[in-house]
Amino acid sequence: MNTNISAWAIRTPLPSILLFVVLTIIGLYSFVRLPITYFPTVITPSVRVTIEQAGASPAELEIQVTRLVENAIASLPAIRRLDSMIDQGRSVTTVEFELGLVTPDRAVDDVRDAVSRIRSDLPAMADEPLIERLEEDSTSLVTYAVLNPDMTVTELSWFIDDTVTRALQGLPGVGRIERVGGADREIHVELDVERLQALSLTAGTVNDMLLQTQLERSGGRSEVNGNEEVVTTAAAAETITELAGRRLALDGESSVRLSDIARVRDANAEPRAFAMLDGSEIAGFSVYRSGGAGEVAVATAVAGALEEIRTAYPDLQFRLVDDNVSYTVGNYHAAMSSLFEGAALSVIVVFLFLRDWRATIVAAVALPLSIIPTFFVIGQLGFSLNILSMLAITLVTGILVDDAIVEIENVVRHRNMGKSARRAALDASDEIGLAVIAISATIIAVFAPVGLMSGEVGLYFREFGLTVAIAVFFSLLVSRLIVPVLAAYFMTAGPPKDEENGRLMRSYEYLLKMSLRHPLLTVGTALGLFAIAIVSLASLPTAFLPEEDMGRLTLTVELPPGATLDDTRAATDDIADRLRGFEEVRGVFVRAGASMTGQEDVRHAIVLINLVHKSQRERSLSAIEADLERMLAAFPDLRLRFLNNRGSRDVSFALLGSDGDAVQAAANAVLREMSADGDFVDPSSDNIAMRPELRVIVDTDRAAMLGVSPAMIAETIRVSTIGEVDSRLADFLDGSRKIPIRVIIDPVFRGNLPALQLLTLPAAGGGQVPLSAVAGIRFDETAAVINRMDRLRQIEMGTDMAAGMTSGQGLEKLMTLDSVRNLPDGIHIRTTGDSDSEGDVFESFVPAMGAGILLVLIVLILLFGSVLAPWTILASLPLSIAGVTLGLVLGGHAVSLPVVIGILMLMGIVTKNAIMLVDFAIEREAQGLGRMEAIVEACSSRIRPIVMTTLAMVGGMIPSAIGIGDGGEFRAPMAIAVIGGLLVSTLLSLIVIPSLHLIMSTLGDRLTWIFRRVFQSAGG
């Protein structure tokens, strides 16, 4: 079959040429349309359930809402994680399903059905559950500040909400627009407490009156003069002055003007967040992409739309303050540069060995013909041009030229025999056909099971592995259909001069013969080396991902409970001023009002520190971070933490349990032990956050006697201090814009306890009762937020590790702490963030590697028609482990996701040397040579293509191993692991594989003799 395919291509070259012309065209077309992202696009089936109940405390919501929702959802199949966050008046439950087992649409439907079944059990005051699918990325692509000296912050905020959002929301790939900072316009009706008491009014009553009177509503129909007319009731005030002069009806026939009991003014909503850029408050917006969209395409479309807006509004400026796309673009360009440089090095290796420019051109042509069609297939699979798929194509460069090298070298060898170019191409392709197919088939077989892996980490394996397998498949087609044609019709020059064996070759043959005289010693030595390598590899540090220098640091700021927004502003301003004193800091962007986990609280802030590009500074990211940490030690009352690029710490975990107090006590014990160990840097625990509160203690007997319900007391206090919920606010119409009218007591009275006690409460009989008559007020504290995971109370903990320690080492040390090993009954520990993903990496690697090796064995047995020969070939796999370990040790890299993927890649490519040796030795032995002579001749004949292909692959990976450019920290560990394994495996294979083949062949002969005697005896 192999002969027929190549011979057919040589005799009728046009179909093969036209096939690859078509593949190249559609490949180039697909390449320009592929989305560019940093990591593979992960569309996780996640659903969020939000239920709001105005005025409800977190503890109350946990019992009455959250637990009911969690129990209803927990019965659904394929749930990976169930999280809840409960703060004042809001419960948010997020359920994440297993990737690949449940579709996003099915996930939303299942959750909606589950929640609808318990809707009647929820409190009557709770709003309708909001159920939404989480489609967009959790990290914004770009954040812009909107600047105009002639517009106030409020006007800029409305411009963002109205004009900018409408212009961007319809762009392809834009998932969500979120305003950053700014202010919302409101009409404030600030009530005088004393006047309310005198008139027996409450804030709720005034709000209801405005809701009933401030309206313009269509209703009814009439016919006038034969024409049908719509009847509209108009009662809305058109100006603030008119609204202030509006009369409100009191009991009987009396009334009062709104301005007599309140101050009415055009104001801003009470700020609960802010954004600062280099010391100036800004209003801006963040853009999030929808699942599957390309980062670069979305960012480019947004920039184009903003340029159109700026053209329409010349005084407006858009300033990019946070950018997650530039690094993606830099990684893409760096990967493309590594691809071209690696391809050039591979081609140079071919020329240096063959010294034939025609043969070199043939090898060079094989590269694009293998790579370009790959883009078409990965586009059909929904892949993107990301750090993994581009790394796969970059590292596979040397492999792609490998098949062509084997074919070309064999053609050159046959030309040296005096054959014509056509005859040499026919004979060489026939002779080497099985080896070429076996080499490609083993690589494809290793990565085939990867396509069946599930989960987010499995997606990383799958996108890398299938890209490699697809490219190798096209390389096989090129080597079988195009290279023989080019060899027959292009390599027509005279045969190169046959050179005698040099000193290195003679030394190798001597060493080979010595090892063949003592095959058991040779193989035993290799096994000992393998054992040492396994022990060394197991002792290497581990991590989820290498730490990359993206030119940015993320600092979280947490103030003590009770801190105000002004306190947060003062603290972050001081921090930002000090940060800007560092020469590497290019800008400081502060977002206050929420934590990284989404907890909305004025005492939380996030500081993004933008640095100059790593190519323009001398110090590394870790050195700068360490320097900043020393400076920030001057803020003892603040909790300051640096997070990695994924918003996590080096080691992150959670303690879970049903008893919140017990979980808190266990967390405190773990934290104390970690703080006493110098290997853990700044360990922290997100304890159940407590905030100060004014507790209104109701005298229920007195309230019952006066006809005042506790619910009415709570509602009156809530409406008086923060206003009614947005859905129950009257609206002021300013053109086409609706502005909410918020009724609250004058801020002067809000912080005055005697004034609060004067608030009047409606009684059942129609009268009014002062708050002081039915309740007292005292100072206390309450939980600000409650976090839950898998229906248990959760306390998140984390720590950074001392210099020289990786996250994997930190996690191992954490598990040895006495407080962790002796957790109380009912409390358990669970890794989160990167620590959780790191465990998934190694759990996914073992079955993937096992399945890949098994499939390789099956393929080799089928190709060679032998059970023993494939085992000899598979012996190349353990020989590569020593090289992997040596490379990682010398490079100072931990065993991380890219390294694990690189080891998986090695399992496919290191068998090529053994395949060429064993295949040639079996063929020569079948032609009548003695076993020892056949092995020696196979090694002598195959050493040049083995060294050539190895050096070509190494050359293709050298640019990635150097790690220059954006994303270099991710590419380098994988390339170093593969290069180390490939070089050591090649050196050992040239000595160990021949000895092992000799042992296995002798064993096969004896087994054949034994079975023949057994069958003959049975037949006799």
Side-chain angles (χ1 to χ4, degrees):
M1 180 180 68
N2 303 329
T3 305
N4 291 339
I5 291 177
S6 298
W8 171 81
I10 292 171
R11 295 187 178 98
T12 54
L14 191 58
S16 300
I17 294 173
L18 292 178
L19 171 65
F20 276 90
V21 167
V22 173
L23 288 175
T24 301
I25 292 174
I26 62 176
L28 291 173
Y29 176 78
S30 301
F31 173 74
V32 299
R33 295 175 62 87
L34 282 171
I36 300 174
T37 62
Y38 185 65
F39 273 126
T41 300
V42 181
I43 305 178
T44 305
S46 299
V47 182
R48 182 170 57 205
V49 180
T50 304
I51 300 177
E52 295 186 353
Q53 183 180 345
S57 67
E60 182 183 359
L61 283 173
E62 182 185 26
I63 297 173
Q64 298 181 357
V65 175
T66 308
R67 288 183 179 178
L68 296 178
V69 173
E70 288 178 344
N71 292 336
I73 295 176
S75 61
L76 299 177
I79 290 180
R80 183 177 185 271
R81 183 164 169 169
L82 183 62
D83 296 314
S84 293
M85 184 180 70
I86 315 154
D87 55 13
Q88 194 70 25
R90 185 179 62 164
S91 168
V92 179
T93 299
T94 304
V95 54
E96 178 184 334
F97 293 86
E98 290 288 352
L99 189 66
L101 300 182
V102 179
T103 64
D105 291 335
R106 174 66 183 274
V108 174
D109 293 339
D110 288 348
V111 172
R112 181 179 291 111
D113 293 342
V115 174
S116 66
R117 287 194 291 269
I118 53 98
R119 178 64 182 93
S120 60
D121 299 330
L122 298 177
M125 296 297 294
D127 293 343
E128 192 66 24
L130 174 62
I131 301 172
E132 54 188 337
R133 183 172 71 187
L134 300 181
E135 291 185 286
E136 66 275 353
D137 274 2
S138 59
T139 303
S140 62
L141 278 184
V142 288
T143 298
Y144 285 90
V146 184
L147 308 174
N148 188 333
D150 298 328
M151 297 174 69
T152 65
V153 173
T154 307
E155 291 170 336
L156 284 173
S157 301
W158 171 245
F159 183 83
I160 294 170
D161 295 340
D162 181 46
T163 305
V164 175
T165 300
R166 283 191 291 108
L168 301 183
Q169 197 69 63
L171 296 177
V174 173
R176 174 167 57 99
I177 307 296
E178 178 182 85
R179 200 185 74 208
V180 177
D184 293 315
R185 184 183 173 192
E186 289 184 348
I187 307 300
H188 280 188
V189 178
E190 298 171 347
L191 302 169
D192 187 314
V193 173
E194 296 175 350
R195 292 291 295 160
L196 286 181
Q197 186 185 34
L199 296 173
S200 297
L201 289 173
T202 67
T205 304
V206 175
N207 184 81
D208 290 340
M209 290 179 181
L210 288 177
L211 194 61
Q212 294 297 320
T213 59
Q214 180 67 12
L215 56 82
E216 183 170 336
R217 186 176 301 165
S218 296
R221 190 170 56 246
S222 177
E223 292 187 8
V224 179
N225 298 326
N227 295 323
E228 183 174 280
E229 306 285 347
V230 176
V231 180
T232 301
T233 302
E238 297 181 356
T239 64
I240 303 298
T241 303
E242 184 181 348
L243 177 64
R246 180 66 56 84
R247 282 192 171 274
L248 305 178
L250 301 176
D251 292 338
E253 298 180 356
S254 59
S255 62
V256 63
R257 291 188 185 277
L258 185 60
S259 58
D260 292 337
I261 60 172
R263 179 177 57 171
V264 182
R265 64 188 183 95
D266 196 340
N268 294 331
E270 179 183 3
R272 302 290 296 171
F274 66 83
M276 304 286 291
L277 176 64
D278 295 334
S280 301
E281 187 166 359
I282 63 165
F285 60 93
S286 296
V287 180
Y288 296 79
R289 71 182 178 107
S290 58
E295 296 174 13
V296 177
V298 173
T300 303
V302 168
L306 294 182
E307 182 61 28
E308 294 180 4
I309 296 175
R310 197 192 63 79
T311 303
Y313 299 90
D315 295 334
L316 210 63
Q317 289 184 349
F318 294 99
R319 181 178 173 184
L320 186 64
V321 298
D322 186 30
D323 179 14
N324 286 305
V325 179
S326 295
Y327 192 77
T328 301
V329 175
N331 169 71
Y332 168 76
H333 290 307
M336 292 299 293
S337 297
S338 298
L339 173 62
F340 290 124
E341 293 164 2
L345 287 175
S346 297
V347 173
I348 290 173
V349 168
V350 175
F351 179 76
L352 291 177
F353 270 87
L354 296 182
R355 305 293 179 87
D356 185 343
W357 66 269
R358 292 176 181 265
T360 304
I361 290 177
V362 173
V365 168
L367 271 175
L369 292 183
S370 302
I371 293 175
I372 294 176
T374 303
F375 294 123
F376 167 70
V377 180
I378 65 175
Q380 297 302 307
L381 293 175
F383 294 175
S384 62
L385 295 177
N386 55 69
I387 193 169
L388 284 167
S389 61
M390 291 301 298
L391 182 57
I393 293 175
T394 301
L395 295 186
V396 85
T397 301
I399 302 175
L400 298 183
V401 78
D402 183 36
D403 291 341
I405 289 176
V406 174
E407 291 271 4
I408 294 168
E409 193 279 336
N410 209 38
V411 170
V412 171
R413 191 171 63 85
H414 278 266
R415 291 277 283 144
N416 290 339
M417 299 177 186
K419 299 179 182 179
S420 67
R422 182 183 176 89
R423 174 48 55 188
L426 287 169
D427 293 346
S429 60
D430 178 26
E431 180 183 68
I432 205 69
L434 178 61
V436 170
I437 293 176
I439 291 171
S440 300
T442 53
I443 298 175
I444 295 173
V446 164
F447 287 108
V450 173
L452 303 177
M453 293 175 63
S454 61
E456 184 174 345
V457 173
L459 181 63
Y460 294 157
F461 278 91
R462 182 164 63 250
E463 195 138 333
F464 178 91
L466 291 184
T467 301
V468 171
I470 293 164
V472 169
F473 171 74
F474 282 115
S475 172
L476 176 61
L477 291 183
V478 171
S479 66
R480 295 278 76 203
L481 296 177
I482 298 298
V483 172
V485 172
L486 293 176
Y489 296 99
F490 183 68
M491 295 173 58
T492 55
K497 187 178 180 180
D498 192 10
E499 299 180 359
E500 296 182 358
N501 292 336
R503 180 179 303 174
L504 285 177
M505 187 63 186
R506 291 194 298 271
S507 300
Y508 166 68
E509 289 180 349
Y510 174 78
L511 182 62
L512 173 65
K513 292 175 181 178
M514 289 291 294
S515 64
L516 289 173
R517 293 193 187 100
H518 309 282
L520 293 177
L521 178 62
T522 303
V523 174
T525 303
L527 289 175
L529 182 61
F530 171 66
I532 295 173
I534 287 293
V535 173
S536 302
L537 184 63
S539 64
L540 289 177
T542 61
F544 173 48
L545 291 173
E547 199 60 41
E548 298 182 72
D549 189 343
M550 293 186 173
R552 182 176 64 179
L553 290 169
T554 302
L555 175 70
T556 62
V557 181
E558 182 181 353
L559 277 69
T564 65
L565 191 65
D566 289 337
D567 295 333
T568 304
R569 188 189 304 273
T572 53
D573 284 349
D574 193 2
I575 291 172
D577 287 341
R578 299 195 186 197
L579 291 173
R580 283 192 291 272
F582 288 81
E583 61 179 355
E584 295 94 346
V585 175
R586 184 164 51 90
V588 180
F589 178 51
V590 179
R591 294 184 63 173
S595 67
M596 285 293 291
T597 59
Q599 176 188 345
E600 296 181 357
D601 197 325
V602 295
R603 65 190 184 93
H604 287 284
I606 303 168
V607 181
L608 297 179
I609 308 165
N610 293 312
L611 308 174
V612 297
H613 194 270
K614 62 183 180 181
S615 61
Q616 301 172 358
R617 51 181 157 86
E618 296 180 357
R619 294 200 296 173
S620 66
L621 189 70
S622 58
I624 296 173
E625 182 178 329
D627 205 358
L628 295 181
E629 284 179 337
R630 287 190 289 270
M631 180 272 293
L632 295 172
F635 298 90
D637 296 333
L638 305 180
R639 180 180 287 178
L640 304 171
R641 286 176 263 170
F642 281 103
L643 304 180
N644 60 26
N645 298 322
R646 296 164 298 283
S648 180
R649 304 193 72 185
D650 289 348
V651 176
S652 55
F653 60 97
L655 294 185
L656 307 178
S658 57
D659 186 341
D661 294 336
V663 176
Q664 182 68 72
N668 292 338
V670 174
L671 186 61
R672 282 194 300 270
E673 190 171 358
M674 292 174 66
S675 300
D677 192 323
D679 290 335
F680 298 109
V681 178
D682 190 24
S684 62
S685 168
D686 291 340
N687 298 335
I688 299 176
M690 305 299 290
R691 66 169 58 173
E693 71 169 351
L694 291 177
R695 182 172 289 271
V696 179
I697 309 299
V698 179
D699 186 337
T700 54
D701 291 341
R702 182 70 175 162
M705 292 173 59
L706 296 175
V708 179
S709 69
M712 182 54 67
I713 296 174
E715 182 178 354
T716 300
I717 294 174
R718 174 177 57 80
V719 175
S720 300
T721 54
I722 63 174
E724 186 58 273
V725 296
D726 292 348
S727 60
R728 288 191 50 77
L729 294 179
D731 292 319
F732 178 82
L733 298 179
D734 184 3
S736 60
R737 180 182 177 187
K738 284 185 177 182
I739 303 170
I741 302 174
R742 189 170 297 278
V743 179
I744 53 175
I745 62 173
D746 195 305
V748 175
F749 295 104
R750 251 199 317 181
N752 188 332
L753 291 186
L756 289 177
Q757 291 174 331
L758 292 177
L759 290 175
T760 54
L761 307 168
Q768 302 290 326
V769 177
L771 177 63
S772 58
V774 294
I777 301 177
R778 66 179 174 86
F779 292 99
D780 205 342
E781 64 178 9
T782 184
V785 63
I786 296 175
N787 292 305
R788 293 170 60 85
M789 179 191 293
D790 294 337
R791 297 187 289 170
L792 297 172
R793 280 286 188 96
Q794 169 198 9
I795 292 185
E796 183 75 18
M797 305 185 70
T799 181
D800 293 326
M801 300 309 301
M805 290 194 69
T806 65
S807 58
Q809 291 173 315
L811 192 60
E812 291 176 1
K813 185 160 191 177
L814 171 71
M815 295 305 177
T816 64
L817 298 179
D818 291 337
S819 55
V820 174
R821 289 189 293 108
N822 301 311
L823 286 172
D825 293 338
I827 297 176
H828 64 275
I829 188 171
R830 174 170 171 176
T831 55
T832 60
D834 282 359
S835 299
D836 186 34
S837 299
E838 183 180 332
D840 291 343
V841 168
F842 297 104
E843 289 178 6
S844 302
F845 170 67
V846 174
M849 185 177 67
I853 292 175
L854 179 61
L855 199 55
V856 167
L857 178 62
I858 294 173
V859 169
L860 292 177
I861 291 174
L862 292 175
L863 288 174
F864 281 91
S866 169
V867 176
L868 294 179
W871 289 102
T872 304
I873 294 171
L874 289 180
S876 305
L877 305 184
L879 298 179
S880 64
I881 300 300
V884 173
T885 305
L886 182 62
L888 294 178
V889 170
L890 294 178
H893 297 289
V895 180
S896 57
L897 174 65
V899 172
V900 169
I901 297 177
I903 293 174
L904 192 63
M905 183 177 183
L906 268 176
M907 298 302 100
I909 63 178
V910 297
T911 57
K912 70 174 184 65
N913 300 330
I915 288 174
M916 284 194 283
L917 291 176
V918 172
D919 176 60
F920 202 88
I922 293 174
E923 183 179 345
R924 285 293 177 266
E925 189 175 350
Q927 293 173 357
L929 281 180
R931 179 162 296 154
M932 186 75 73
E933 291 78 7
I935 293 175
V936 172
E937 183 178 340
C939 292
S940 301
S941 301
R942 297 291 89 193
I943 187 172
R944 186 168 75 160
I946 286 175
V947 174
M948 281 178 60
T949 54
T950 299
L951 293 181
M953 284 190 278
V954 170
M957 298 177 195
I958 283 177
S960 296
I962 296 174
I964 297 177
D966 292 338
E969 298 88 349
F970 187 95
R971 294 190 294 270
M974 182 189 294
I976 288 174
V978 175
I979 289 175
L982 195 57
L983 288 175
V984 172
S985 174
T986 298
L987 292 175
L988 294 179
S989 295
L990 291 173
I991 300 298
V992 177
I993 293 301
S995 295
L996 184 60
H997 176 61
L998 180 61
I999 294 172
M1000 298 298 289
S1001 298
T1002 303
L1003 176 62
D1005 291 343
R1006 292 181 180 179
L1007 290 175
T1008 301
W1009 181 81
I1010 291 172
F1011 284 121
R1012 184 179 296 114
R1013 292 292 300 270
V1014 170
F1015 290 138
Q1016 288 177 350
S1017 299

